[in-house]
């Protein structure tokens, strides 16, 4: 992994295929999935794939053989045939990606491996769904866009927070015009990960903490950016055009280490470059402003902030509250649940209590993706969304190094952003 390049490597790039915006999956009764990475996330997600009718997990991969075999055991326990197991080193994913019996590769590995695995999956003819963030560098984001267009395979950031109940309700209210004309939004990943990042057992090695020695800025923008981008139809009528980022000093990890980590631990050789809290402002083509925050190294309760404001009112989450004209006129926050019956998304009406972690949104994302693949619908989000939502990783680093100077967010759609089309706010299929 390396630090992010500053200049937009799109300049002079030759487009290799037509747009993938709105391109449907080929219809298929059974979706055949390969799982790459069986750590915390992969083990949490496999059950969603296995629980759905018409989904087969045909191959699993993790260089830690014990984990790969646990993945295979989970498939067998679900009553499916034993999957192929790839556990021969860091590059065995290439063999999985070359198989001919997979339609989708799901990638839940350390960040630095997302790009090579996504690339191999598309070159091997598979659609690919990648955990956050989809890649770490701007040139890699462009290469994923180019490869998706060239191979006609979708490369999707599996941005599960877009499927949260509150997020989907706000999305539908925004699209129904209840906030008036949209002006501003905010999203964050404020999640105290200090104990997990220094745990010798939680992650497979220190990969996540190591990124804090390499990049400043917002290392994990997707959970905050994705939902707000959907509210504002980013890449579907509006576009994110620039980002300015400011970072605090990086003190939290070293302070935690001093108090909790025995001297002699390898982490004592590391220098954290920060920032503890990064605050970014994204400007859109229609002049709207999106505030992004990232903080995983100081104490505070979990928050994705999640807010949206327009000419008719405002929503703020954590805790959820709303103020909308003409419903509210007393300058007091009101109860957001009052809007559930009218504005809950059809996925949440169909699944009142979805299973699994994160309040059920992981399940709904997998359910919806498998539905789109089986029915031959376009995905709710595509490579342009993946690249846009991830662009703050390299660009916040570059902006902080330039004292907050705005960095251009490339138009990964090459103009297609001006066309309105559906996203996570889908219509229930007949
Ligand atoms: N969307 C979400 O809500 C959410 C939640 C948790 C984690 N994540 C993301 O999931 C990913 C994995 O996180 P985690 O907590 O499971 O980490 P982890 O360290 O527990 O698991 C990563 C796994 O990938 C395996 N791996 C490493 N290199 C590999 C390679 N070359 N080929 C195949 N497998 C390889 C490791 O052996 C390990 O089992 C990260 O991108 C993380 O940001 C997303």
């Amino acid at each position: 992994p390396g630090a992010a390049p500053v200049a937009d490597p799109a300049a002079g790039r030759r487009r290799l295929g037509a747009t993938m915006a709105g391109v449907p999956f080929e219809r298929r009764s059974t979706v055949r999935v390969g799982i790459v990475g069986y750590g915390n996330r992969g083990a949490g997600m496999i059950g969603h794939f296995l629980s759905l009718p018409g989904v087969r997990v045909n191959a699993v991969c993790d260089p830690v053989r014990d984990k790969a075999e646990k993945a295979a055991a989970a498939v067998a326990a679900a009553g499916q045939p034993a999957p192929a197991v790839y556990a021969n080193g860091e590059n065995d994913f290439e063999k999985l990606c070359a198989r001919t019996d997979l339609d989708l590769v799901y990638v839940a590995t350390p960040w630095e491996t997302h790009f090579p695995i996504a690339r191999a999956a598309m070159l091997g003819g598979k659609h690919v769904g990648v955990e956050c963030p989809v890649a770490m560098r701007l040139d890699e984001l462009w290469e994923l866009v180019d490869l998706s267009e060239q191979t006609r395979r979708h490369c999707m950031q599996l941005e599960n927070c877009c499927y949260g109940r509150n997020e989907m309700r706000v999305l539908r209210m925004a699209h129904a015009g209840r906030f008036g004309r949209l002006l501003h939004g905010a999203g964050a990943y404020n999640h105290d990960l200090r104990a997990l990042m220094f745990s010798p057992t939680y992650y497979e090695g220190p990969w996540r903490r190591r990124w804090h020695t390499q990049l400043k800025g917002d290392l994990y923008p997707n959970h905050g950016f994705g939902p707000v981008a959907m509210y504002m139809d980013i890449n579907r009528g509006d576009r994110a055009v620039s980002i300015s980022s400011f970072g605090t000093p990086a003190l939290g990890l070293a302070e935690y280490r001093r108090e909790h980590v025995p001297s002699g631990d390898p982490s004592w050789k590391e220098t954290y470059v920060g920032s503890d809290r990064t605050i970014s402002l994204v400007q859109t083509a229609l002049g709207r402003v999106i505030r992004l925050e990232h903080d995983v190294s100081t104490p505070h309760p979990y928050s994705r902030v999640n807010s949206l404001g327009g000419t008719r009112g405002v929503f703020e989450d954590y805790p959820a509250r709303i103020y909308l004209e003409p419903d509210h006129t007393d300058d007091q926050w009101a109860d957001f649940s009052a809007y559930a019956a009218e504005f809950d998304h059809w996925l949440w009406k169909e699944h009142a209590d979805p299973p699994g972690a994160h309040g059920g949104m992981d399940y709904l994302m997998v359910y919806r993706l498998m539905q789109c693949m089986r029915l031959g619908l376009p995905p709710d989000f595509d490579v342009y969304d993946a690249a846009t939502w991830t662009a703050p990783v390299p660009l916040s680093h570059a902006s902080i190094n330039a004292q907050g100077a705005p960095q251009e967010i490339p138009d990964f759609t090459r103009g297609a952003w001006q066309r309105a089309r559906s996203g996570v706010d889908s219509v229930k299929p007949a």
Side-chain angles (χ1 to χ4, degrees):
V6 179
D8 177 7
R13 277 190 101 88
R14 197 165 57 84
R15 186 174 207 161
L16 300 171
T19 184
M20 286 299 283
V23 172
F25 291 112
E26 43 297 274
R27 201 182 169 102
R28 47 171 71 73
S29 56
T30 303
V31 179
R32 302 161 305 168
V33 179
I35 306 253
V36 181
Y38 198 74
N40 302 300
R41 184 66 176 164
M45 290 289 279
I46 198 170
H48 297 320
F49 288 101
L50 292 170
S51 72
L52 291 168
V55 181
R56 278 279 169 97
V57 175
N58 280 351
V60 298
C61 171
D62 198 301
V64 179
R65 182 164 293 278
D66 179 52
K67 289 185 168 178
E69 277 166 8
K70 283 201 172 96
V75 176
Q80 297 196 5
V85 174
Y86 294 89
N88 290 322
E90 298 286 321
N91 296 322
D92 220 18
F93 67 83
E94 290 169 358
K95 292 209 181 90
L96 178 145
C97 291
R99 289 180 71 88
T100 53
D101 62 349
L102 299 176
D103 307 305
L104 174 80
V105 174
Y106 168 64
V107 183
T109 57
W111 300 342
E112 54 273 22
T113 64
H114 288 179
F115 170 72
I117 299 171
R119 179 176 54 191
M122 284 189 280
L123 288 172
K126 282 85 185 157
H127 303 290
V128 63
V130 187
E131 270 307 334
C132 313
V134 72
M136 300 306 277
R137 298 166 50 124
L138 209 52
D139 54 343
E140 294 173 344
L141 297 178
W142 268 116
E143 197 166 334
L144 292 178
V145 169
D146 287 346
L147 273 173
S148 176
E149 292 175 346
Q150 182 187 14
T151 61
R152 314 310 294 161
R153 299 293 89 187
H154 281 295
C155 174
M156 297 159 290
Q157 178 77 82
L158 294 189
E159 209 338 288
N160 45 314
C161 298
C162 289
Y163 291 83
R165 188 175 182 187
N166 288 355
E167 284 84 349
M168 295 196 106
R169 194 186 301 160
V170 172
L171 174 65
R172 295 206 57 241
M173 293 178 71
H175 286 177
R178 294 305 305 269
F179 292 91
R181 295 171 66 187
L182 301 184
L183 297 170
H184 61 91
Y189 190 64
N190 294 335
H191 186 187
D192 181 0
L193 294 179
R194 293 172 302 165
L196 295 182
M197 282 199 284
F198 281 103
S199 159
T201 52
Y202 184 75
Y203 296 107
E204 188 63 48
W207 65 265
R208 192 153 185 170
R209 194 182 66 237
R210 289 254 173 88
W211 276 103
H212 290 259
T213 69
Q214 300 191 40
L215 279 184
K216 296 175 188 166
D218 193 335
L219 305 181
Y220 212 67
N222 311 74
H223 285 348
F225 201 179
V228 178
M230 281 290 159
Y231 306 157
M232 294 187 180
D233 293 309
I234 298 293
N235 295 335
R236 289 160 179 73
D238 198 358
R239 176 169 104 68
V241 295
S242 78
I243 181 168
S244 301
S245 302
F246 302 87
T248 69
L251 306 175
L253 293 181
E255 195 167 304
Y256 184 91
R257 179 178 59 188
R258 194 162 61 242
E259 287 167 14
H260 295 93
V261 180
S263 59
D265 184 87
S267 69
W268 277 94
K269 296 203 174 77
E270 297 167 352
T271 303
Y272 307 111
V273 298
S275 321
D276 277 339
R277 180 158 298 208
T278 299
I279 301 177
S280 303
L281 294 177
V282 172
Q283 184 97 54
T284 79
L286 299 185
R288 298 153 172 170
V289 175
I290 302 169
R291 187 180 89 251
L292 301 177
E293 295 178 7
H294 176 264
D295 184 341
V296 297
S297 48
T298 70
H300 51 75
Y302 181 96
S303 171
R304 297 195 301 271
V305 174
N306 187 27
S307 82
L308 182 68
T311 55
R312 306 294 284 173
V314 63
F315 168 83
E316 289 186 5
D317 215 335
Y318 298 91
R321 52 210 193 274
I322 193 157
Y323 187 83
L324 281 188
E325 290 179 350
D327 302 6
H328 314 119
T329 52
D330 58 355
D331 209 21
Q332 301 291 318
W333 288 109
D335 180 11
F336 183 52
S337 63
Y339 295 90
E342 189 178 355
F343 288 106
D344 264 347
H345 191 275
W346 63 264
L347 279 167
W348 280 95
K349 289 189 169 153
E350 213 171 69
H351 303 89
D353 190 15
H358 293 146
M361 62 192 185
D362 297 344
Y363 172 80
L364 288 185
M365 177 185 64
V366 175
Y367 172 90
R368 172 66 185 160
L369 176 60
M370 294 299 103
Q371 179 181 66
C372 290
M373 291 190 74
R374 293 185 69 205
L375 297 181
L377 304 172
D380 288 354
F381 38 63
D382 51 35
V383 73
Y384 311 108
D385 302 311
T388 304
W389 304 342
T390 306
V393 173
L395 294 178
S396 64
H397 174 88
S399 180
I400 290 172
N401 278 342
Q403 286 75 47
Q407 307 293 308
E408 186 190 334
I409 299 177
D411 174 13
F412 295 106
T413 73
R414 295 169 164 118
W417 65 271
Q418 300 183 57
R419 184 164 58 86
R421 60 194 172 95
S422 84
V424 171
D425 190 3
S426 56
V427 176
K428 182 175 173 170

